[in-house]
Amino acid sequence: MSPSPPPSSPSPSSSSSSSLSPSAVLELAPVVPVVVVEDVADAVPLARALVAGGLPAIEVTLRTPVALDAIRTIAAGVPDAVVGAGTVISPAQVTDSVAAGARFLVSPGWTDVLLDAMKASGVPFLPGVSTTSEVVALLERGVREMKFFPAQAAGGTAYLKSLAGPLPQARFCPTGGIGPAVAPEYLALPNVLCVGGSWMLPPDAIAAGDWPRVEKLAREAAGLRP
């Protein structure tokens, strides 16, 4: 499926937001930046640098007190970004993330309660898996796109290769321990749509506000697909 360009309005309630599918989000670029925002003032310039480098789908993790404000700020200030919420682990976080402007949701794992909340959210979602049984359970519930986490620790490319035979309908965004050296190995797999990572966001570059460096690293990441 070919993704459509991100709509100009970031509102999660708009028809254009709801028309995005998980695969459309994951096919926007070969890498989804996994962003931890410590200072909300960094959110817009950071997002602009990533988008300018060719990485429009941006996962802001709910690991800091300003994460929701960062999502809200990016949604309002960077219309070409497709901003999502990561580390979503509760129905309350689903509600808060969508209200803040998140256009997709990513969880490190899933439960029936969390999955129901994400399904009801009206935005694409990516539940996390690390075992074959979890993959089968999601397929049983009609979910085909998943986050494979923690990718390197859970078996890496060898594990995903093993899943491709019996479960070819499942598609993954591996995240966790992935850098530019191994990302192409994941992207070469038929069941991988993209990878998640944060190597294009060095802490020293963020601290210095070196957004040209972030843009350069993002551009290199955008060109990683074989």
Side-chain angles (χ1 to χ4, degrees):
M1 175 178 180
S2 299
S4 300
S8 59
S9 171
S11 170
S13 61
S14 70
S15 60
S16 55
S17 292
S18 61
S19 67
L20 282 173
S21 68
S23 61
V25 172
L26 298 179
E27 290 172 353
L28 287 170
V31 180
V32 175
V34 179
V35 180
V36 180
V37 178
E38 302 286 353
D39 185 343
V40 72
D42 293 334
V44 165
L46 183 155
R48 285 176 177 162
L50 292 172
V51 171
L55 302 181
I58 301 170
E59 176 189 337
V60 177
T61 66
L62 302 184
R63 302 180 191 175
T64 67
V66 302
L68 289 172
D69 286 335
I71 291 170
R72 190 174 293 110
T73 302
I74 293 170
V78 191
D80 289 333
V82 178
V83 63
T87 322
V88 176
I89 59 173
S90 72
Q93 288 181 329
V94 170
T95 301
D96 292 344
S97 297
V98 174
R103 294 174 60 194
F104 65 95
L105 306 169
V106 183
S107 67
W110 66 278
T111 65
D112 288 329
V113 171
L114 180 59
L115 187 66
D116 287 345
M118 290 193 293
K119 280 187 170 183
S121 70
V123 300
F125 58 92
L126 199 66
V129 297
S130 60
T131 69
T132 306
S133 294
E134 290 172 320
V135 175
V136 171
L138 284 177
L139 291 173
E140 196 174 74
R141 290 161 174 78
V143 178
R144 295 182 56 180
E145 293 85 10
M146 312 167 195
K147 172 178 177 174
F148 178 53
F149 177 83
Q152 287 289 88
T157 55
Y159 192 90
L160 289 176
K161 285 179 184 176
S162 298
L163 292 182
L167 302 170
Q169 65 271 55
R171 294 290 182 269
F172 300 96
C173 174
T175 306
I178 297 176
V182 298
E185 298 174 18
Y186 283 95
L187 293 169
L189 299 177
N191 55 353
V192 169
L193 290 172
C194 64
V195 300
S198 58
W199 71 85
M200 72 296 300
L201 299 161
D204 60 332
I206 304 301
D210 190 352
W211 310 122
R213 182 181 171 198
V214 171
E215 180 180 339
K216 176 179 180 293
L217 292 170
R219 186 169 290 108
E220 291 172 357
L224 282 177
R225 190 180 299 279

